[in-house]
Amino acid sequence: MKDLKHVKLFIILTLLTWTSIYSNNGDDRISTTYDHALSEILNLRTKTARKILDADGNSQEFNLYKEYLHNWSEVIELTLQEDNDKYDEYLDHLDLRLDRIEEKADKNDPSYHILLAEIYAHAAMANIVYNDFFSGFRKMLKCNKNEKLNEELHP
């Protein structure tokens, strides 16, 4: 049973890495701070990444990429720890995050739908790890919808 848990964790972490499709080709909205935080996340140093993101001087401004990085960091921690209380806390954070995105994000930004799709994909993986398959399936549908919409709007 323990081997199955390790295989499941490996698959989830691999998928998390593969879903990272946001490119910062010359995008000046993504600072070296966020690059550093992303590097920490990819190296599974999520607490360090969150400290970097929280210490960002532009914390009063809304930044969708920063929200995405915070989400990714939380999901990685969830998959590594498998703590039901943290999962419930994450679901609360996710709802607040999605409300904040709906309220403050620029929906015309080319990165809007793709980052939102990735947030849904990460949330779906968290749902699946915690055996909430129906919610995970619904989030994957939202992920797919946002990816297709992004392709239509920004080919």
Side-chain angles (χ1 to χ4, degrees):
M1 183 69 168
K2 191 165 184 146
D3 289 335
L4 182 60
K5 182 178 176 180
H6 288 244
V7 169
K8 187 177 179 182
L9 179 62
F10 175 75
I11 290 170
I12 294 296
L13 289 175
T14 302
L15 288 172
L16 284 171
T17 302
W18 284 349
T19 60
S20 178
I21 55 180
Y22 189 83
S23 171
N24 66 352
N25 297 331
D27 192 339
D28 60 356
R29 291 169 298 168
I30 300 175
S31 68
T32 55
T33 301
Y34 295 155
D35 286 341
H36 185 211
L38 177 60
S39 175
E40 294 298 310
I41 291 169
L42 292 173
N43 288 303
L44 303 180
R45 292 189 292 260
T46 56
K47 289 183 181 175
T48 304
R50 281 188 296 152
K51 286 178 186 175
I52 292 167
L53 293 169
D54 291 341
D56 179 27
N58 297 326
S59 60
Q60 299 299 358
E61 291 181 30
F62 179 80
N63 186 306
L64 183 56
Y65 190 60
K66 183 176 178 179
E67 293 288 338
Y68 158 77
L69 291 172
H70 268 292
N71 187 73
W72 196 1
S73 177
E74 284 187 75
V75 169
I76 288 175
E77 286 180 16
L78 281 175
T79 59
L80 294 173
Q81 296 173 357
E82 291 196 47
D83 179 339
N84 287 326
D85 291 335
K86 288 202 182 264
Y87 175 64
D88 292 337
E89 188 178 311
Y90 167 72
L91 293 178
D92 292 339
H93 289 176
L94 178 65
D95 289 340
L96 292 171
R97 181 170 287 123
L98 291 172
D99 288 345
R100 197 167 40 250
I101 290 169
E102 178 66 29
E103 179 183 322
K104 296 183 177 185
D106 177 5
K107 291 164 187 65
N108 295 318
D109 187 329
S111 66
Y112 173 77
H113 289 288
I114 202 65
L115 289 175
L116 190 57
E118 286 197 44
I119 289 171
Y120 278 121
H122 295 159
M125 286 184 257
N127 289 142
I128 291 166
V129 167
Y130 287 87
N131 299 318
D132 188 359
F133 298 107
F134 183 69
S135 294
F137 177 73
R138 290 184 55 212
K139 285 185 179 72
M140 283 308 296
L141 290 176
K142 289 180 181 181
C143 168
N144 190 44
K145 176 184 171 189
N146 276 285
E147 286 177 338
K148 287 186 185 302
L149 193 53
N150 188 69
E151 286 179 14
E152 290 173 14
L153 296 174
H154 309 285

